[in-house]
Amino acid sequence: MKGFQLNLVESEIKIILEALTEMEKRMSDICESSKDEDEIADVGNDLIEVRLLLKPLKERAVEQFGANIVNFSRELL
């Protein structure tokens, strides 16, 4: 398998993490609510791949930038 390296700043990582987290939630909701077994299987397989990408990315981002990197709140401080 070929590798791909990319250097990102904190704000870019935050955008990617937020998008992947939202995608994971939508896919999980589909798997929990759908009555279509084929849809559940297809989305479930993709959900596994998203989680395999998201978990280490989130861990590395928190390690490098701190826990606030996964705070996606839009509330004013």
Side-chain angles (χ1 to χ4, degrees), residues 17-77:
L17 287 172
E18 184 174 13
L20 287 172
T21 299
E22 181 61 31
M23 179 184 285
E24 178 191 31
K25 168 111 176 64
R26 280 195 320 268
M27 293 172 129
S28 180
D29 289 347
I30 290 169
C31 288
E32 291 175 7
S33 65
S34 180
K35 305 281 190 249
D36 183 340
E37 291 183 17
D38 290 332
E39 180 182 43
I40 293 170
D42 288 342
V43 173
N45 287 334
D46 292 341
L47 177 58
I48 290 168
E49 290 186 30
V50 167
R51 286 179 174 165
L52 288 172
L53 171 62
L54 181 57
K55 184 180 179 196
L57 185 61
K58 186 183 295 186
E59 288 172 355
R60 287 184 60 197
V62 168
E63 183 180 299
Q64 184 164 344
F65 299 112
N68 201 41
I69 192 79
V70 291
N71 178 1
F72 308 124
S73 173
R74 299 280 192 259
E75 292 181 22
L76 297 175
L77 298 176

